[in-house]
Amino acid sequence: MKKLVKGFKNFGSKLMAWPHIDIAMLSAAILTYAGLAAARIASWSIWFDEAFTAYITRFNVAEIAHYTGNDMHPPLYYWLIKGWTSVFGTNEVGFRSFSLVFAIVTIILGFLLLKKLFSRQAAIIGVWLLALSPMLIRFGDEARMYTMVTAIALGATYVLVRAMATNRRKYWITYGLLLVAGMLTHYFIALVWLAHWVWRYVYLRIDGDRGKKLAKNFFSKSWVWTHVLAVGIFAVWLPTAIHQFSVLQAGFWIPTISADTFTNYFTNILMYLDHNKVESWLAILYSVVIVGSVVLIYQAYRKLESAKDRQNLMLVSCVAAVPPLILLLLSMPPLTSSFIDRYLMTSIVALALLMAIAITHGNKKRWLPIVMTLLILVSFGIGIDRVYYYGNYNKISSTSIRTKELIAAIAEKAKPGEPLIATDPWIFYEAIFYNSDEHPIYFLDQTTEYIYGSLDMLKDHDQFKIKNLDAFTKQHEVVWYFGSVGDNEITPPSIAHGWKQIDSVSIYNSIDDNSSYKAVRFETQSR
């Protein structure tokens, strides 16, 4: 064993001495990540959140701000993806590749941050942990803002390090602009900004500041004016943000906090599995990885002797730990839960970087870091396999999204010109992405209650509405009525009269073990 470890060590030393190792390893990691993420980028059906993204890009910049203001997110991501898809297309690859690009930016920033704070070895290990991270692979394929906001947060963290070290104005201004860019992308990035505040306090404490000196240095002129700049720019959107938080019931669809919440968080990071599916040898593997990681992180902190190194370790630790802890506290009863792992992507990335630091700067006995690295990679391999299996399966509602497959199945049976009617506006959002001239898709305005801001785009425009079903069916003697209904049957809408079923299709999925997506072909008038 000693000879094996010594051999690994000698090989690693020679490899690290190669002058172009940084570019080679970073490039290899990026290509590996891009291959793993892009392999299934067009395989999974667009689901509601992605469908909302796709639909809102139909509008101009001002309208996008209006409609997302009536929903629950700020507008920057939607503005940028509208520009992106105007160049790269409005299909699944066009929408999802935007997130893939920001995931790659995140990997690059993680490499630069670890190399700046610690060493080339830590940066190389870190970049591979990010490239093989199941969660980063999963959300690199999602047409939502999670990788974009992660890249902004990691970029801001890197710039903050430079600003604290040099106190140069250009770094503080850049940091302030990234603060506001993050807030205009996703509000929960504020948890990362709070982590920066915690780290700044810890940083000064490690430097020996106490009492009035600590307060004076903490609220330095540069720090204060940076936040004045960020708040001043964000003030333009602030009234809308206040409206969103006061009117919308953010989190009403999110499960309440339980004893499983935090366990699920870590099992999904490692294996993309909820904890109740981590059984037998998987449970042993998970336990060993968690315990071994804690030991290595503690040993790394003990081993780092200089104040600068400990400050750097605390920075990554704060970004990894503070946001999930705060979000957990803010989700405790009687408050409404907002704890969702994808809201914490920056912390998930920081946790991978923290493990890279622990592996390269922890235990003096090299066998433990090597064993831990292998176990983490095994866990990630399982996670990548599960990401491919589940796709964008909704673990909260236990729904496998199959709208794409359903529309394709209808198109195989339907005659040209037969319209498709969605059972509700939620499934309509998903289906309209696959709209065609041969089989146009509609929803029933007569039965829709526009009680959520996400439906305002439909309420204000008549393009896909059926306002009078009787008048519509006089023009279309055959229609398809479709939706997501579990094992139940699709029945005619309550306002339909005399419809006769003549055909049907259903989509079976092995994850739920049911036919949750169904469509029925109806004759709408007696012949």
Side-chain angles (χ1 to χ4, degrees):
M1 185 68 178
K2 289 182 179 180
K3 290 182 179 180
L4 181 63
V5 172
K6 186 177 180 180
F8 271 115
K9 189 174 182 180
N10 290 337
F11 174 76
S13 298
K14 291 178 181 179
L15 187 64
M16 292 300 119
W18 188 43
H20 301 297
I21 186 64
D22 290 3
I23 296 175
M25 294 301 284
L26 180 58
S27 299
I30 288 172
L31 289 173
T32 299
Y33 172 79
L36 290 171
R40 303 297 299 273
I41 197 168
S43 299
W44 306 322
S45 177
I46 291 287
W47 74 291
F48 177 77
D49 282 10
E50 293 181 299
F52 181 90
T53 296
Y55 202 89
I56 202 171
T57 59
R58 296 167 179 265
F59 303 101
N60 62 38
V61 170
E63 290 171 326
I64 287 173
H66 169 71
Y67 287 124
T68 191
N70 289 342
D71 188 48
M72 61 179 64
H73 292 301
L76 183 58
Y77 168 78
Y78 299 117
W79 287 337
L80 294 181
I81 199 170
K82 178 178 176 64
W84 176 270
T85 53
S86 68
V87 176
F88 294 99
T90 55
N91 55 18
E92 289 147 331
V93 175
F95 276 102
R96 288 171 173 164
S97 59
F98 191 60
S99 295
L100 181 61
V101 168
F102 275 107
I104 291 172
V105 172
T106 296
I107 292 172
I108 295 171
L109 289 169
F111 180 87
L112 295 175
L113 183 64
L114 283 191
K115 189 176 179 184
K116 173 71 176 175
L117 295 180
F118 288 96
S119 64
R120 154 191 284 183
Q121 291 91 335
I124 290 173
I125 295 294
V127 81
W128 279 102
L129 292 182
L130 292 181
L132 299 173
S133 165
M135 290 292 285
L136 197 59
I137 290 170
R138 164 66 183 89
F139 289 101
D141 274 353
E142 177 121 328
R144 297 295 285 168
M145 67 286 294
Y146 306 119
T147 59
M148 176 177 165
V149 79
T150 301
I152 291 172
L154 214 59
T157 303
Y158 179 81
V159 172
L160 177 61
V161 171
R162 301 296 297 270
M164 293 275 284
T166 64
N167 203 33
R168 297 181 67 178
R169 182 180 297 176
K170 67 177 183 179
Y171 292 125
W172 285 115
I173 291 175
T174 303
Y175 181 66
L177 293 176
L178 288 171
L179 289 181
V180 70
M183 290 298 294
L184 287 173
T185 304
H186 197 283
Y187 296 130
F188 277 32
I189 199 175
L191 301 175
V192 179
W193 306 153
L194 290 175
H196 288 171
W197 279 61
V198 172
W199 174 69
R200 183 172 169 84
Y201 173 82
V202 172
Y203 179 99
L204 294 172
R205 291 278 298 185
I206 292 175
D207 258 1
D209 291 359
R210 300 290 187 275
K212 292 182 178 179
K213 183 182 179 182
L214 175 61
K216 181 181 178 180
N217 288 339
F218 187 94
F219 294 104
S220 67
K221 184 181 293 186
S222 298
W223 181 258
V224 171
W225 279 109
T226 294
H227 286 80
V228 169
L229 170 68
V231 172
I233 298 174
F234 185 70
V236 177
W237 184 256
L238 187 59
T240 303
I242 293 172
H243 165 76
Q244 288 175 322
F245 280 106
S246 61
V247 174
L248 297 174
Q249 299 180 37
F252 64 89
W253 50 271
I254 300 174
T256 56
I257 291 293
S258 69
D260 301 334
T261 301
F262 231 44
T263 310
N264 280 340
Y265 177 67
F266 288 108
T267 56
N268 273 289
I269 290 173
L270 281 174
M271 303 176 184
Y272 200 66
L273 287 170
D274 286 344
H275 86 284
N276 62 332
K277 296 187 181 297
V278 180
E279 301 173 329
S280 185
W281 69 273
L282 290 179
I284 297 172
L285 174 62
Y286 167 76
S287 301
V288 171
V289 170
I290 293 296
V291 172
S293 299
V294 172
V295 170
L296 279 180
I297 293 168
Y298 174 74
Q299 289 179 341
Y301 183 80
R302 291 291 301 272
K303 186 180 175 183
L304 297 173
E305 296 179 354
S306 72
K308 181 180 178 181
D309 285 342
R310 289 195 171 191
Q311 288 167 335
N312 293 341
L313 180 65
M314 290 307 299
L315 171 60
V316 182
S317 300
C318 285
V319 176
V322 171
L325 289 175
I326 293 177
L327 190 57
L328 186 69
L329 291 174
L330 293 176
S331 299
M332 291 290 186
L335 300 175
T336 302
S337 176
S338 299
F339 196 96
I340 292 292
D341 50 17
R342 61 180 179 266
Y343 294 169
L344 297 164
M345 281 299 299
T346 305
S347 293
I348 292 170
V349 166
L351 193 58
L353 301 182
L354 184 60
M355 280 309 307
I357 298 167
I359 287 168
T360 54
H361 292 76
N363 198 292
K364 294 180 180 179
K365 297 178 180 179
R366 301 304 299 170
W367 66 267
L368 180 58
I370 291 172
V371 170
M372 281 302 303
T373 302
L374 293 174
L375 292 179
I376 291 171
L377 292 179
V378 170
S379 300
F380 279 7
I382 295 167
I384 293 169
D385 176 72
R386 294 298 84 190
V387 167
Y388 283 1
Y389 174 71
Y390 283 111
N392 58 6
Y393 179 83
N394 191 326
K395 294 183 179 182
I396 294 172
S397 63
S398 298
T399 303
S400 185
I401 313 300
R402 304 284 178 168
T403 313
K404 176 182 180 179
E405 293 90 332
L406 181 66
I407 300 301
I410 295 172
E412 287 184 4
K413 284 196 169 188
K415 295 179 180 179
E418 292 181 357
L420 284 56
I421 304 174
T423 56
D424 58 66
W426 316 111
I427 194 72
F428 168 80
Y429 266 133
E430 294 178 3
I432 196 63
F433 190 83
Y434 304 103
N435 189 47
S436 68
D437 293 336
E438 283 195 343
H439 305 293
I441 298 173
Y442 301 91
F443 72 98
L444 292 170
D445 179 59
Q446 291 168 274
T447 59
T448 299
E449 297 181 13
Y450 300 98
I451 58 176
Y452 298 108
S454 55
L455 298 180
D456 282 359
M457 294 186 292
L458 303 183
K459 181 176 68 175
D460 294 345
H461 300 272
D462 294 339
Q463 183 179 2
F464 305 105
K465 287 179 181 176
I466 298 176
K467 289 193 168 186
N468 186 314
L469 186 59
D470 289 338
F472 183 84
T473 54
K474 286 179 181 178
Q475 300 176 12
H476 302 280
E477 295 183 355
V478 176
V479 301
W480 288 84
Y481 193 53
F482 70 95
S484 171
V485 292
D487 285 320
N488 298 319
E489 294 300 319
I490 292 282
T491 57
S494 57
I495 56 175
H497 305 289
W499 285 16
K500 177 183 177 183
Q501 178 175 337
I502 55 175
D503 204 350
S504 68
V505 296
S506 60
I507 302 298
Y508 177 80
N509 72 83
S510 58
I511 298 175
D512 294 324
D513 193 27
N514 65 19
S515 299
S516 56
Y517 282 76
K518 298 179 182 180
V520 176
R521 189 183 189 193
F522 288 103
E523 281 186 353
T524 61
Q525 298 179 33
S526 300
R527 295 185 179 183

